[in-house]
Amino acid sequence: MIDDELWSAIGDPMRRRMLDQLLADGGGTATTLSGRLPVTRQAVAKHLAVLDRAGLVHGTPAGRERRYTVDESQLARAVAQMATVSETWDRRLQRIKRIAETIQRSRET
């Protein structure tokens, strides 16, 4: 089953960049992320809230900010869903290929 909230969160390119940055750094705050990305701290905070609701990151208090880390089990769940979708599309494309080949052979005879 595909989790629409999860895929909506991952679907945004900036949020994917944030996940990459958090994974590379082992975590970060809205301030540290805004220093590395071409968006404001407020925009980063909004993106982090979306990722948090989807369960992809978790924030813990760190002074006056929150430090976010990636929930690797939720990310693994997203990867597993992506693999399932990929397999489904591969089967569909193979079926279309077989149909096209059958049509081509019938035209040749």
Side-chain angles (χ1 to χ4, degrees):
M1 176 147 186
I2 300 300
D3 182 335
D4 289 334
E5 185 174 20
L6 177 67
W7 284 102
S8 178
I10 292 174
D12 183 274
M14 184 55 62
R15 288 193 283 269
R16 287 194 305 273
R17 287 180 67 185
M18 293 170 92
L19 286 169
D20 288 342
Q21 193 68 54
L22 290 170
L23 284 167
D25 296 345
T29 65
T31 301
T32 59
L33 286 170
S34 67
R36 295 188 176 122
L37 299 169
V39 291
T40 65
R41 185 195 174 288
Q42 291 168 322
V44 168
K46 288 181 181 182
H47 283 299
L48 286 170
V50 172
L51 292 169
D52 193 21
R53 279 193 305 276
L56 288 162
V57 299
H58 298 292
T60 55
R64 292 176 24 182
E65 290 199 80
R66 294 184 69 75
R67 180 168 177 75
Y68 289 88
T69 55
V70 175
D71 182 325
E72 294 190 25
S73 66
Q74 185 73 330
L75 192 56
R77 185 171 157 250
V79 169
Q81 286 182 18
M82 176 74 83
T84 300
V85 169
S86 176
E87 291 167 7
T88 299
W89 276 102
D90 284 346
R91 285 191 305 272
R92 288 176 182 169
L93 291 172
Q94 285 299 319
R95 199 171 324 135
I96 291 168
K97 180 181 177 191
R98 284 193 302 274
I99 291 168
E101 288 169 345
T102 300
I103 291 169
Q104 183 66 32
R105 281 194 302 272
S106 70
R107 288 183 178 169
E108 291 172 353
T109 57

